Amino acid sequence: MPHSSWLKAAGAAFAVALATATAAHAAPAPAPAPAPESTAATSVAAVVTLRYDDSRAGGWEAAIAAGVASWNRNVSNVRLVEAAPGTRAEIQIVATSGWPQATLGPVRPGGQVRVELGSQAVSQGYDRTRIATHEMGHSLGLPDTKPGPCSQLMSGSAAGTSCTNAVPNATERSRVESAYAGGLASLVPADGRTLVDAP
């Protein structure tokens, strides 16, 4: 066999051997990316949005804002938002001269409950932010838990005037999330009772 033919044959054999060895030791091809799961399978729990109107709660604006922020920070499936002027709000908040009181929820979108932020409690030394957050808790379906410690938001006035806690505890958060679990379909109408938070 002529030398040039031998070199061509050897070169071809070497190329085949190299290709075979490379293929045998090459990293496996990456697995195809899984198909995205359906939206229904990955969607988080539906969030129920409730609007509040505090246009008649003069003097309580900061306490209401802090109470709304506390609930929005601590529950994941219900969100409180301020109603735009001229739109219907599920939670009507008004300032009064009596004791704080509220309609017991849980309020549904399109329904309506009333929160009265009474100045009589403030004049006796109770914390405005705790009052506002507590009364909103009634709108979300939480009854009073009196007597109770300061760590329970819904113990209200039973915790005394030194208590300024305006954060729902784990049990209170769980009860609200349970009430609104499953979105609108699972919600029962508000209880309708008015709870007065006098000591």
Side-chain angles (χ1 to χ4, degrees):
M1 169 184 286
H3 184 67
S4 63
S5 296
W6 183 86
L7 283 176
K8 285 183 185 175
F14 179 74
V16 168
L18 183 61
T20 303
T22 303
H25 296 343
E37 295 180 31
S38 70
T39 305
T42 58
S43 66
V44 294
V47 175
V48 175
T49 299
L50 299 171
R51 293 160 299 176
Y52 67 91
D53 176 3
D54 63 354
S55 60
R56 294 182 293 151
W60 287 85
E61 294 86 354
I64 293 167
V68 166
S70 180
W71 281 112
N72 286 343
R73 213 173 22 249
N74 286 286
V75 294
S76 61
N77 60 355
V78 62
R79 182 147 187 86
L80 302 175
V81 297
E82 189 169 5
T87 62
R88 179 179 168 86
E90 286 82 15
I91 304 172
Q92 293 287 323
I93 306 174
V94 298
T96 68
S97 59
W99 279 98
Q101 57 185 294
T103 311
L104 181 59
V107 63
R108 300 179 64 135
Q112 197 164 70
V113 293
R114 180 178 169 95
V115 167
E116 296 184 9
L117 300 177
S119 62
Q120 189 170 350
V122 176
S123 68
Q124 293 200 15
Y126 291 96
D127 182 72
R128 282 178 181 267
T129 300
R130 179 172 167 84
I131 292 168
T133 312
H134 172 96
E135 299 306 326
M136 288 179 212
H138 288 321
S139 298
L140 300 176
L142 296 178
D144 287 313
T145 54
K146 297 179 179 180
C150 182
S151 59
Q152 292 178 347
L153 174 65
M154 300 315 293
S155 66
S157 59
T161 56
S162 63
C163 179
T164 61
N165 172 43
V167 178
N169 67 18
T171 301
E172 293 162 334
R173 294 192 300 267
S174 177
R175 287 188 69 175
V176 169
E177 291 194 337
S178 177
Y180 289 91
L184 305 181
S186 66
L187 281 176
V188 296
D191 181 287
R193 288 180 291 155
T194 298
L195 303 179
V196 180
D197 288 301

